[in-house]
Amino acid sequence: MSTEFPSNAETVVIGAGAVGCSVAYHLSELGAEDVVVVDQGPLPVTGGSSVHAPGIMFQTSPSKIQTKAAYYTSRLLSDAGVYNEVGGIELARSEERMDFLQRRVEWATSYGLPEPELLTPEEVTEHFPLVNEDEILGGYYSPTDGRVDGISALQWYMEHSDADFYGNTEVTDLDVAGGEINAVETDRGTIECERCVMATNNWGYQTAQMAGLDIPIAPVEHQYVVTEEMEELGGVGSGVGKNTEGLDVPGNRDIQEYMSEAPHRPVGRDQDNSLYFRTHGKSIGMGSYNHEALSVDPDAMGKNTEDQQSSVRGFTKEHWEKPTHPGREKSPKQAFDELLPATADKEYEMTENGIFVFTPDGMPAVGPTASVDGLWSALAIWWTHSGGYGRIVAEWMENGVPRLPSGPVDTGGVHVRRFEPHAGEKDYFVDKGAKRYEQVYSIVEPRWQPEEHRPLRTSPFYHQQKELGAEFYQSGGWESAQWYEHNADLLEEYEEQLPDQDGWQGINRSKIEGAEHLHTRDAVSMFDMTSFSSIVVEGADAGDFLQRMCSNDVDVGVGDVRYSLLLNEGGGILADVTVVGLDDDRYMVTTGGGNSPGIHGGWLKERAPETVSVNIEEGAKSTIGLWGPQSRLLLQRVTDADVSNSGFPYFSAKQIYVGEVPVIALRVSYVGELGWELWAPTEYGQRLWQTLWEAGQDLDVRPMGGGALESMRLEKGYRLWGTDIDTDANPYEAGLSFAVDLDTDFVGKEALEAAKAEGIDNEITPITLDDSTDILLSGRPVLVDGEAVGYVQAADFGYTIGESIAYTYLPTEYTDAGTAVQVECEGEVYDATVRDEPLFDAGRDKIIR
């Protein structure tokens, strides 16, 4: 470790907590040189959340990347000797929670955690005798869960990294000019750099503001106490008073003394009361999310003082002894007194309101930032996932591919660019962070929808959709119709084809979704695609640029449409797109909604040469999908353009008028039916809807929602980025080899050629349930002879084929049609069969006519 403060470095990491140290360590492991880490606090006890946290690590999550990152972290820290693998037990005090714990088992099985199991109350108390057996119905046990020794882990990172670490160094500004990071300014001098990583977590918003970025990082307080020593814990040793000898500790040293005491029993959670706990030697530590959200102004995080760590606030007794959480009836103390009766009369030796952070969707914010080249985010990450995300970010920075040793990972749900344009408004994301805090241990229903901050982003069709009884879901901040009450009369017509969907899988679903699906197959429907993305690429070198970015041959003429993929350097799928030739040297690239503008549009924009303009038209177009066998008749009524099969072939485009509305019409279909996408400037949106609606009344034109779209696209085998294709799959694995032209030169080509030469071990495949109409849920294990060989990527009921469909990636030895498999979902094991795709209209007779 250098002692002379540097004036330049290749990479500067801001923050020497769990995440910053992990990024620096993994950069060194991958061969990066000249890495500098700075932190405003002393080292290793910085005063951030990494050192006041109790270090409890529960690895199981419904998110694959979260589970994988957690497991990597536990293995890394275990090998480093700074992890106590005592196991973790999540308790159930209700039948609903026992059902939830079964989901835990299924997620763990799908994502590779070893030996997950459900426990009886008696088995729980064998592991943790102080638990009141009469209070619980059972538990979920993960044997590799445990606790990280935070200070020791930070010391280990520093000792085993080639990076140079500098404590007591406050970052005062980021020098950003010309759209790139140039230097990090500190109170000890300026460090010129080529790359900078923001790993400041609680200060993440403030750090990003220095670069002119609004990254939504909301700090929130939560409570933790440690009891006095307890005779009930037996002859366990104690190092309290000696654990931090020789260390510079800001504020209350007791926090670090007790956090450094290792557990000797499994770490535990009582999620029904938003509580968690672990032993600290002879004491018990108890943590609580069971109080109203105590949000902290992200601009007022502050610094260490002689009396207080910067990430710790004073303990608020009223939040411990009174029920203030809007969804909990008991106070934290009452719930703990019932669950761990031995703690009821014990004094507390240490108390704190510690601070940690949430994004609006509760997930991390990692990756390259949108508008500052060389500036990376590694924010909103807990100890549990810190080792994994440090590796992911380091691989991304060094090799262009986010990955763990187990393989590439899908970063769409954690990418810092995924946030909507409004997400950086402080009142909005602080409020959203508070809601996420309330939900930390809540059982969230499938397809749950928030009520706050709605409606915010609406298409020009919103008022017509409301009049038609749209049930709006929020997607990417947009109000997107899931189904329409207007179509309730279709339920009688299609009654025999609409099976009941009961239980957990049926929550927040409507039979109307299935009716809309079937009606679209029979007649014609209008689907609001306004949230989908259009990107205009133009300039003298636009064609060559797109050819370099796209995996397929996109040398298209005016009026041609070509399906292609955007790949990263490792051959992982960044996006699937259509490239439309609008004019000489002018193209429109279309892709999905949600986070596509920031992630996929940004990917193109930042790689474009000066001779190419990339305009991300987020919200600039209002778009209708007009689909169904009557769609040609309806469209022909409202345009003078020739829309016959010969005059307007499949996968072609025309600039036409629909009534008075100028439209870019693409003859493409995402539902497997004859149809068009009609893209118009936003200001014409209401007239576009009105024109089609009025002209199609005698054809029984109907609005169609997202529920029908999902079931129809699965019947047809169309892919959805972020669901069944993403950066952890290549095109050959994803069944998209037709979108790859190896005679062209494109990003990711070398990796694909190598993958093709090595052979594909896993492929996507559809399966259907043998004797059930239940809809499966994503993340549930697919089994062969009782062993997990894959998991559900996407699932729905195929109302046209009359079967329940799931898509999964399977080892190639199991992908032959007719292979018998099983799927475990909600504790039930379903028999299923591998099928050839597409399941619907294999000859494309419905589309090309």
Side-chain angles (χ1 to χ4, degrees), residues 423-616:
E425 196 277 323
K426 193 165 70 170
D427 288 343
Y428 173 86
F429 73 74
V430 168
D431 191 31
K432 282 285 191 179
K435 187 65 177 180
R436 289 294 171 182
Y437 177 89
E438 289 178 8
Q439 290 182 320
V440 164
Y441 284 172
S442 297
I443 298 174
V444 180
E445 297 174 341
R447 308 206 292 184
W448 170 85
Q449 291 295 300
E451 297 179 358
E452 301 81 7
H453 302 284
R454 300 182 65 184
L456 189 55
R457 302 179 85 183
T458 61
S459 82
F461 319 134
Y462 179 72
H463 294 292
Q464 286 104 323
Q465 291 172 309
K466 281 190 69 176
E467 291 175 359
L468 293 168
E471 179 68 23
F472 288 107
Y473 279 20
Q474 196 174 72
S475 176
W478 289 94
E479 297 296 331
S480 299
Q482 190 71 7
W483 69 82
Y484 294 83
E485 288 297 327
H486 172 81
N487 295 325
D489 64 304
L490 295 174
L491 294 176
E492 183 176 355
E493 178 180 350
Y494 295 110
E495 181 178 7
E496 294 184 1
Q497 294 171 264
L498 302 173
D500 292 333
Q501 300 295 341
D502 300 320
W504 187 252
Q505 296 103 306
I507 293 176
N508 295 323
R509 301 188 69 93
S510 171
K511 282 190 175 183
I512 295 174
E513 298 169 78
E516 292 175 0
H517 170 136
L518 293 166
H519 175 82
T520 306
R521 294 264 187 251
D522 289 342
V524 60
S525 295
M526 296 163 55
F527 178 78
D528 180 6
M529 295 180 61
T530 300
S531 64
F532 285 51
S533 306
S534 63
I535 305 162
V536 174
V537 180
E538 56 187 330
D541 297 317
D544 291 340
F545 166 67
L546 284 175
Q547 190 67 75
R548 171 67 178 156
M549 292 297 104
C550 293
S551 64
N552 209 348
D553 182 359
V554 293
D555 183 14
V556 297
V558 176
D560 291 333
V561 178
R562 188 70 45 83
Y563 179 82
S564 185
L565 306 170
L566 305 181
L567 307 178
N568 63 21
E569 286 83 350
I573 301 172
L574 280 169
D576 62 335
V577 300
T578 55
V579 178
V580 184
L582 296 179
D583 205 340
D584 293 339
D585 301 326
R586 186 166 183 264
Y587 305 84
M588 183 171 77
V589 179
T590 72
T591 184
N595 52 21
S596 287
I599 297 177
H600 307 143
W603 172 264
L604 291 172
K605 193 175 185 70
E606 68 190 15
R607 284 163 175 76
E610 292 183 358
T611 54
V612 174
S613 168
V614 176
N615 180 25
I616 306 168

Side-chain angles (χ1 to χ4, degrees), residues 643-718:
V643 298
S644 67
N645 193 42
S646 59
F648 202 151
Y650 185 56
F651 256 65
S652 64
K654 287 185 178 183
Q655 299 190 50
I656 67 174
Y657 289 97
V658 173
E660 304 160 291
V661 178
V663 165
I664 299 173
L666 314 182
R667 191 175 162 197
V668 296
S669 169
Y670 193 52
V671 298
E673 293 290 338
L674 175 69
W676 284 261
E677 293 178 4
L678 306 174
W679 296 72
T682 297
E683 64 268 26
Y684 291 101
Q686 286 195 37
R687 180 58 65 87
L688 176 62
W689 182 285
Q690 179 183 358
T691 300
L692 292 167
W693 184 256
E694 291 177 354
Q697 286 305 298
D698 64 315
L699 302 176
D700 198 18
V701 66
R702 300 274 182 154
M704 171 190 134
L709 185 78
E710 177 69 1
S711 58
M712 295 181 81
R713 71 103 185 166
L714 284 176
E715 280 190 333
K716 190 60 181 170
Y718 290 149

